[in-house]
Amino acid sequence: MTVLVYAEHDNNALKGDTAKLISAATQMGGDIHVLVAGSDCAGIAEAAAKIDGVAKVVVADNEAYGHQLAENIAELVVELGKDYDHIVASASTTGKNFMPRVAALLDVAQISDIIGVESPDTFVRPIYAGNAIATVQSEDTIKVITVRAASFDAVGQDNSAPVEASDAVKTSEKSSFVDEQLTESERPELSAADIVISGGRGMQNGENFSLLEGIADKLAAAIGASRAAVDAGFVPNDMQVGQTGKIVAPQLYIAVGISGAIQHLAGMKDSKVIVAINKDEEAPIFQVADYGLVGDLFDILPELEKSI
Amino acid sequence: MKILVPVKRAIDYNVKVRVKADYSGVDLANAKMAINPFCEIAVEEAVKLKEQGVATEVVVVSIGDKSCQEQIRTALALGADRGIQIDTDEKLDSLQIAKLLSKLVEKESPDLVILGKQSIDSDNNQTGQMLAALTGMPQGTFASKVDIDDNKVKVTREIDGGLQTVQLDLPAVITTDLRLNEPRYASLPNIMKAKRKPLDVMPAADFGVDLSSKVKVLKVNPPAQREGGVKVDSVAELVDKLKNEAKVI
């Protein structure tokens, strides 16, 4: 049994998700090989080689993989991955983009967004926005799997696996990168932060999100948002927590002015401790909150910032 | 240009689902069903492209038993031109659906296929990508903006760090994110008109696709319930609890 894990990175640094994928891969059994595909990514391969449990790192360093275009990455993963028993990637937007393409090219099903590994062929995944948990068994020869990183603990980083270069180059003529607009932030990444403070429609406008910033800075927290806040244009979409946004499971999640719709809960209800601040004491968010504070967020937030 | 829009009949997104007592699945008996919200956005985008004079025909397809004709009619009322029901009683996985759709793409040769990025029941987020792979088309997933220019389409995609724009040759596959557009409501005259629009029924068996799945659902459980928490009266009490009881700050 060997498992091929696709390293999650942004061409600058290896992302923390990768060590969580290795944790999931370890439960599938066998040797673990990591594929680092990118442009100018030697440093990322070195970082991947340090992750415990990794037997080998394969680097495909080529301009064709610089922007992780699904057409190119999928062909590469199919070529390198066809002799593996499992191909694993994060259920990030990158993994969600190219992995089903890999599965279809290999003529196998894909198991999306797993939160548990029961055996090498049996996996646990949420359906219906997390309102049901399915246990599924795959009889495919190659299991193509995306992993909800938030559901696994990162393994340690005390390894020195060999790094091997792959010269496979796959370039599709049919798609090309135009540009990207990334959201600048000095705060921890939303999906990896230990503490997340999120605002919803109750924040009333984008400027008021600055009320969350002081608290986030003091707690070293990331700032998230509900879909209502994103749709209303308060904040950019990559801050959205929910079924259709990011899934987070921090130590502490503070929901401010968020009612707690099904689709939002799907993104945060596995947080260790949930705090809800809302003026409507009937808001569904209080049913999942460990600590609830009923009141006006415009009074509460400045006071909270002062007292922590 | 012709646009093909696959739509799925799924549980209404406001319904709180219940797991069946025998853990075999989710209880859908008598549940309110609707077009999957992401598919609705796909229909809206196709209809908009038609209104802009970019598209000439919008064909809607749904795979399932007769009941999914209701969702096809809804899409027709929103402005699609004709519908196709690929008739089957089987519960299909994304791969089988993508295979059926790829056969339909061969038949219909659309210039663009627009799908939702995921259905809110199985939450797979796979079909569009698989269809692109099987047809050899490029893909623009999680689209929040679509610009068609000549034989190319520029797609702005929602990615984890922000937005990314890619350019694809047509024919291409696009999957919709929530922010692509705001779907319209169907007016009563349009609902009436939709009843007269053509709707072809094609048996899935005629497509020559093996519909069996290699993935078995062993059981479906309700998620772990969170313990009901406490309400605190003041910020001071909240901070104290977080520091000393939960020990998270």
Side-chain angles (χ1 to χ4, degrees):
Chain A
M1 291 264 222
T2 37
V3 185
L4 183 66
V5 175
Y6 185 85
E8 183 78 12
H9 68 88
D10 60 3
N11 276 312
N12 293 314
L14 185 70
K15 291 203 180 177
D17 277 7
T18 311
K20 297 179 181 175
L21 301 183
I22 301 298
S23 167
T26 309
Q27 295 175 45
M28 295 169 199
D31 282 349
I32 297 170
H33 298 174
V34 173
L35 170 62
V36 176
S39 174
D40 223 353
C41 55
I44 294 162
E46 271 171 42
K50 292 201 176 89
I51 303 176
D52 289 351
V54 175
K56 184 169 86 173
V57 175
V58 180
V59 200
D61 194 334
N62 194 286
E63 266 175 49
Y65 310 129
H67 299 288
Q68 316 266 337
L69 291 179
E71 294 78 7
N72 301 352
I73 298 285
E75 295 281 351
L76 171 73
V77 174
V78 167
E79 178 167 315
L80 298 179
K82 53 181 181 263
D83 297 325
Y84 287 84
D85 302 284
H86 296 82
I87 303 176
V88 174
S90 171
S92 63
T93 50
T94 307
K96 284 176 180 166
N97 189 30
F98 78 84
M99 283 290 266
R101 213 173 159 105
V102 169
L105 293 173
L106 292 170
D107 195 23
V108 299
Q110 174 183 299
I111 316 281
S112 291
D113 212 10
I114 64 161
I115 57 171
V117 179
E118 293 219 329
S119 74
D121 67 359
T122 306
F123 309 95
V124 182
R125 60 178 301 264
I127 52 176
Y128 291 89
N131 287 300
I133 307 294
T135 305
V136 296
Q137 185 173 40
S138 166
E139 290 167 4
D140 276 316
T141 46
I142 304 179
K143 277 91 178 160
V144 173
I145 292 162
T146 61
V147 173
R148 177 174 293 187
S151 298
F152 294 87
D153 294 324
V155 296
Q157 313 252 346
D158 193 20
N159 191 4
S160 54
V163 177
E164 189 178 281
S166 160
D167 51 9
V169 181
K170 303 284 179 186
T171 315
S172 166
E173 303 290 314
K174 292 180 180 172
S175 77
S176 57
F177 170 82
V178 179
D179 62 19
E180 61 190 4
Q181 297 113 43
L182 301 181
T183 307
E184 304 269 334
S185 172
E186 309 216 320
R187 297 208 173 78
E189 207 184 333
L190 189 52
S191 48
D194 282 333
I195 301 179
V196 173
I197 181 162
S198 286
R201 201 196 302 270
M203 300 301 292
Q204 294 182 4
N205 60 45
E207 285 81 65
N208 288 337
F209 267 73
S210 62
L211 293 170
L212 304 180
E213 285 171 9
I215 299 170
D217 288 340
K218 280 193 168 173
L219 295 174
I223 298 183
S226 69
R227 182 180 154 194
V230 174
D231 281 353
F234 299 173
V235 291
N237 63 278
D238 54 316
M239 285 170 65
Q240 184 188 323
V241 173
Q243 182 187 23
T244 56
K246 289 204 178 71
I247 313 284
V248 299
Q251 293 292 307
L252 172 61
Y253 188 90
I254 307 175
V256 185
I258 292 175
S259 65
I262 293 174
Q263 100 89 30
H264 186 75
L265 298 182
M268 45 64 81
K269 68 186 167 65
D270 293 325
S271 305
K272 186 160 170 270
V273 175
I274 297 174
V275 170
I277 298 172
N278 206 303
K279 68 177 178 201
D280 173 14
E281 65 180 306
E282 302 297 321
I285 190 79
F286 286 118
Q287 290 162 23
V288 299
D290 299 278
Y291 303 108
L293 182 51
V294 179
D296 189 339
L297 64 93
F298 295 103
D299 298 332
I300 292 171
L301 289 177
E303 199 186 333
L304 182 61
E305 183 178 343
K306 258 183 262 159
S307 56
I308 48 177
Chain B
M1 92 189 244
K2 187 200 270 190
I3 303 181
L4 181 68
V5 185
V7 300
K8 183 174 184 182
R9 174 181 168 89
I11 195 160
D12 183 273
Y13 72 96
N14 283 310
V15 175
K16 180 121 172 63
V17 300
R18 271 196 319 272
V19 171
K20 285 187 195 165
D22 64 358
Y23 304 123
S24 64
V26 162
D27 192 1
L28 293 180
N30 305 318
K32 189 180 170 208
M33 304 297 276
I35 292 194
N36 177 46
F38 291 98
C39 302
E40 212 175 349
I41 294 170
V43 172
E44 175 67 27
E45 194 64 17
V47 171
K48 270 183 162 171
L49 288 168
K50 196 182 165 201
E51 287 168 349
Q52 290 160 14
V54 178
T56 48
E57 189 186 27
V58 176
V59 182
V60 175
V61 56
S62 192
I63 301 174
D65 63 18
K66 199 163 179 251
S67 61
C68 72
Q69 288 190 7
E70 190 188 330
Q71 278 62 46
I72 297 173
R73 291 286 175 204
T74 307
L76 294 174
L78 293 171
D81 297 294
R82 66 185 164 93
I84 297 170
Q85 180 214 346
I86 300 182
D87 187 49
T88 173
D89 290 332
E90 303 251 3
K91 233 186 134 279
L92 302 178
D93 280 343
S94 310
L95 182 63
Q96 281 74 38
I97 297 212
K99 284 181 179 176
L100 287 170
L101 292 176
S102 76
K103 298 282 180 191
L104 188 66
V105 164
E106 271 173 35
K107 262 187 217 163
E108 294 277 342
S109 38
D111 303 280
L112 197 58
V113 186
I114 311 181
L115 308 87
K117 78 165 177 181
Q118 76 190 58
S119 65
I120 59 163
D121 46 10
S122 57
D123 281 335
N124 275 324
N125 197 329
Q126 299 174 358
T127 305
Q129 295 90 316
M130 288 179 160
L131 174 64
L134 297 174
T135 54
M137 290 189 208
Q139 66 187 52
T141 52
F142 328 142
S144 59
K145 193 160 175 271
V146 173
D147 269 322
I148 294 176
D149 187 15
D150 240 354
N151 279 322
K152 299 198 185 287
V153 57
K154 260 191 201 158
V155 180
T156 302
R157 308 179 50 235
E158 305 212 348
I159 60 170
D160 283 336
L163 298 169
Q164 179 194 61
T165 305
V166 292
Q167 181 168 282
L168 314 173
D169 287 357
L170 296 178
V173 172
I174 290 174
T175 73
T176 62
D177 217 315
L178 284 166
R179 275 160 290 276
L180 182 59
N181 60 47
E182 194 138 329
R184 70 194 67 190
Y185 291 96
S187 65
L188 188 58
N190 285 343
I191 293 171
M192 299 311 287
K193 256 189 256 168
K195 291 186 177 161
R196 293 193 301 274
K197 289 186 179 174
L199 197 169
D200 290 330
V201 179
M202 303 178 177
D206 292 0
F207 283 70
V209 170
D210 177 6
L211 296 180
S212 63
S213 169
K214 291 245 169 74
V215 178
K216 270 192 298 203
V217 176
L218 301 182
K219 59 178 187 237
V220 174
N221 290 331
Q225 288 299 319
R226 286 191 79 95
E227 298 280 323
V230 295
K231 291 231 171 93
V232 294
D233 293 322
S234 67
V235 170
E237 191 186 344
L238 175 64
V239 172
D240 176 64
K241 295 257 191 204
L242 291 177
K243 274 189 180 148
N244 301 316
E245 193 175 278
K247 296 189 170 59
V248 284
I249 61 171

